[in-house]
Amino acid sequence: MVTEWMTTRAIDPDAGGNGRDNDRGSGRGGDAADRSDGRAAGRGNGAPATLSDVAREAGVSIATASRVLNGGTRKVRDDLRGRVMQAAERLNYHANAYAQAVAKGGSSNIALLVSDISDPYFAGVSQGVVKAASQRGVTVSIAVASNGEDELDRVRGMVATRPRGIIISESENVNDSSRQELQEELERYRSSGGRVVFILDRGLPFPAVDVANEAGGRAIGRLLVESGYRRPVILKGNDGYRSSAQRYRGVVGALAEAGIMVDPRAVVNGQFNRTKGFSAIMQMAGAGMLTPGEGAVYGGAGADSIVALNDVMAIGAMTALRNAGIVPGRDIGVTGFGDIPYAVDVYPALTTVHLPLTDMGRAAVENVLSDDDGYVADDPGRRLIFLQGRPDVILRDSLPRR
Amino acid sequence: MVTEWMTTRAIDPDAGGNGRDNDRGSGRGGDAADRSDGRAAGRGNGAPATLSDVAREAGVSIATASRVLNGGTRKVRDDLRGRVMQAAERLNYHANAYAQAVAKGGSSNIALLVSDISDPYFAGVSQGVVKAASQRGVTVSIAVASNGEDELDRVRGMVATRPRGIIISESENVNDSSRQELQEELERYRSSGGRVVFILDRGLPFPAVDVANEAGGRAIGRLLVESGYRRPVILKGNDGYRSSAQRYRGVVGALAEAGIMVDPRAVVNGQFNRTKGFSAIMQMAGAGMLTPGEGAVYGGAGADSIVALNDVMAIGAMTALRNAGIVPGRDIGVTGFGDIPYAVDVYPALTTVHLPLTDMGRAAVENVLSDDDGYVADDPGRRLIFLQGRPDVILRDSLPRR
DNA sequence: CTGTTAGCGCGTTCAT
DNA sequence: ATGAACGCGCTAACAG
């Protein structure tokens, strides 16, 4: 859409109509023939050096070359080893990762699927995955899928690359007609030796890195009560999303224990993104549901707080409040869930429950790379990897005592 | 480090003190041996189906199977085609991407290198890269490198995977002892058919997706002047970072035209991250350099604005100001550069210059996938892909007229 | 310890 | 139009 400003400057005005002298050359490897001696003038002009190039250059067999360049702990006479390494250096040899993968029937790559990298939550998780992976010498391919169908497509594409494992960190996909297919696809992948791990449990029969969602929700609920709030608006994610449901159950439960019933009109089912948080509150404010008055929630009393089950929703909600002339923190308290990095930078700083984003990513790759995925079919309980034993609620200024 | 909270908990709260029955066991997965005939009963039990499995199942040659499943526009009799496709479906065949890559001598993957995915700037760019790539059917592998040495390592790892191209979006690496090596490595990669594209020019002889940095800086400078500010503190990135230098030149130039000289003590060389913005301002405020008084900048007059050459620095600076009891927007104006998504959510909302993050990512992959990389050795000016012809400064509340 | 020889899964000529 | 055979770059048995 916004492509108007895009100015891919032209390249070679004068080259004009002249034929393209694309010597894409090579085409087929006339091979052997023109590769007279393998030394294309040392200029890295042609294709990258191969193992056999190195072997020839070093005057050894390709097997030997393989052994010194990659083969782990095999023994090779020192002089040969030296020659090989020098040759490799000289030819700037880099093993062809694909060929290796084909030969040994398995890559050293893990696939990561997220809904939206530009969301701080996923960005944090991804950062953890990528760093942990690279520390262990495995690469990660990343894909984004914004809806259920995309998700299935992406997963299919991923299994084609036969990664060591697939890590799925999607926020939600509901009404999931493709859910069944997804599960089947993943099960086939697993039965062929692949590992799949979810980040945040989605109720599918695979291991998942999970956190104390319900306990976190309860903690928020109690904090609300202790801080003197009685009339929260709750911003949840979609109903099909377990984490949201768990958090919701937690806060509602804690509230109930204190004798507080939340007004059904005060709970909005949205999605875990900033836009939804923003628009939901804009709309409620516009309808006069937030501040005391006729159409207000809680029988006209209005809301005294907004409990978002996700940080970005909370942040969107805060700016919506401001747009509506309501001062977050002063007029209405706000809480989030996740503790994304910029939760401290909004004003007032966001009170939220901390989630160890990058560590969640790390835990996922550790599981993928471990020998045993800890999955036990008949005991669903055994397939969860819990991080964050007790929830860590971070008190900041968006929910002052009142 | 922070691993203490990590509690790979058993699941059930009530399961109480029971011992952890970690049967890590398993060791190797056996297998391999049992592949007697390749046909593991059709059940997806064994290894994934291969092309020849499909061919056999369909009663055709592997070549034919290849043609219908992948081979573009070849002609195959309809009945055969049908049988093949059914067989593929039944066996849940997915082409082995690695084998394809080896066979045709080139993958359909591009590598992306960033400094930090969890930084909104890189997250935005990455999102653009990944989405654009997947629309074109190419996968992207991502790696992070926080410093110059890592960068070289990662690049080396990347070339091993022989991607179609390498996109580098690193913020900066200074005192770069490895810079020369990096360039050589990349040149070898290119001479072997690879494409490399930088996002934001770094002065290396490769195409780069760039934006109107200096013009943007000038726009900010002029806005400052027009809005009545005279005593800015400038938060730059590292000196070796061209984009920072360009932006800096722009604002200083515009200021100079208006007869404003910036106090040398008021410019801090940092890095483009939130922490640096935060700490720099904390420190200056602590030293009394910001508010009128003895040690203040501008001969004791203090600063009336903070010009951060990057959004996250600006955001860090704003919360630092608050910590120091200075109200951003009211006491001191603030501007950023980049327009990351959450620039609207800080308070006051950040005035900044817009950068089309995801489109920058997209442009990079388009260049990688295009036939001609537009690089012309002898005319450095010709190797840039400009986005955003005229800078778009977004007026918000952090820099009110005064 | 080193070199030979089979494959790995797939694309692609070359005959048929 | 279809199939047989070879090669991609590399690893892994197997000999020597």
Side-chain angles (χ1 to χ4, degrees), chain A residues 15 36 66 78 138 233 245 360 366 377 396:
Chain A
S36 54
S66 172
D78 276 3
V138 343
V233 162
M360 288 160 66
E366 277 167 0
R396 289 195 270 248

Side-chain angles (χ1 to χ4, degrees), chain B residues 12-92:
Chain B
D12 229 355
D14 57 73
N18 201 326
R20 71 290 289 290
D21 53 343
N22 56 352
D23 60 337
R24 24 197 69 259
S26 131
R28 277 288 293 96
D31 75 63
D34 62 7
R35 168 208 289 259
S36 53
D37 183 75
R39 316 290 302 293
R43 291 277 295 99
N45 185 324
T50 77
L51 225 204
S52 63
D53 289 337
V54 177
R56 189 170 348 101
E57 176 86 2
V60 302
S61 82
I62 152 177
T64 304
S66 172
R67 292 194 257 262
V68 5
L69 262 11
N70 317 303
T73 340
R74 306 292 294 219
K75 298 203 138 183
V76 175
R77 239 169 47 211
D78 275 3
D79 54 329
L80 288 195
R81 148 171 265 98
R83 276 161 49 195
V84 171
M85 299 195 48
Q86 286 185 24
E89 175 74 20
R90 196 163 33 219
L91 269 44
N92 189 249

Side-chain angles (χ1 to χ4, degrees), chain A residues 2-14 24 43-50 91-102 106-109 114-120 122-124 126-127 130-131 134-135 139-144 146 150 154 156-157 159-163 185 188-189 191-193 212 274 278 312 315-316 319 322 340-342 344-347 356 358-360 363 366 370-372 380-390, chain B residues 2-11 21 23-27 44-50 91-102 106-109 114-120 122-124 126-127 130-131 134-135 139-144 146 154 156-157 159-163 185 188-189 191-193 274 278 312 315-316 319 322 340-342 344-347 356 358-360 363 366 371-376 381-382 384-390:
Chain A
V2 214
T3 60
E4 175 215 345
W5 41 262
M6 178 158 171
T7 319
T8 306
R9 289 226 260 149
I11 303 312
D12 204 11
D14 57 77
R24 21 197 73 256
R43 294 275 296 97
N45 187 323
T50 78
L91 268 44
N92 190 251
Y93 170 78
H94 288 291
N96 180 325
Y98 293 129
Q100 290 185 151
V102 180
S107 70
S108 182
N109 174 311
V114 300
S115 320
D116 178 3
I117 319 181
S118 62
D119 178 309
F122 295 108
S126 302
Q127 174 83 356
V130 173
K131 292 207 74 163
S134 87
Q135 283 173 192
T139 63
V140 8
S141 299
I142 191 166
V144 323
S146 22
D150 276 7
R154 297 293 166 281
R156 292 201 158 123
V159 322
T161 74
R162 291 181 178 40
E185 191 71 46
R188 274 187 297 258
Y189 171 66
S191 70
S192 72
R274 178 200 175 275
F278 180 83
V312 294
I315 291 179
T319 106
R322 267 224 171 72
I340 60 174
Y342 295 91
V344 286
D345 291 314
V346 294
Y347 182 75
T358 62
D359 289 299
M360 288 160 66
E366 277 167 0
S370 68
D371 294 325
D372 182 351
R382 297 279 295 290
R383 65 187 159 68
L384 266 21
I385 302 154
F386 273 87
L387 252 32
Q388 187 203 28
R390 58 167 185 287
Chain B
V2 214
T3 60
E4 174 216 345
W5 44 262
M6 178 155 171
T7 318
T8 309
R9 245 229 320 300
I11 300 314
D21 53 343
D23 60 337
R24 24 197 69 259
S26 131
N45 185 324
T50 77
L91 269 44
N92 189 249
Y93 169 78
H94 289 292
N96 181 325
Y98 293 130
Q100 289 187 151
V102 181
S107 70
S108 182
N109 173 318
V114 299
S115 318
D116 178 4
I117 318 179
S118 62
D119 178 307
F122 295 106
S126 302
Q127 174 84 356
V130 173
K131 291 207 74 163
S134 88
Q135 283 174 192
T139 63
V140 7
S141 298
I142 192 166
V144 324
S146 24
R154 297 292 165 283
R156 292 201 160 122
V159 319
T161 73
R162 293 192 177 31
E185 191 70 46
R188 274 188 297 258
Y189 170 66
S191 69
S192 71
R274 179 202 174 273
F278 180 82
V312 294
I315 290 179
T319 107
R322 268 224 171 73
I340 60 176
Y342 295 90
V344 285
D345 291 313
V346 294
Y347 182 74
T358 62
D359 289 300
M360 288 160 66
E366 276 167 1
D371 293 326
D372 182 351
D373 77 356
Y375 175 74
V376 180
R382 299 279 292 288
L384 267 20
I385 302 152
F386 275 88
L387 253 33
Q388 186 204 27
R390 59 167 184 287

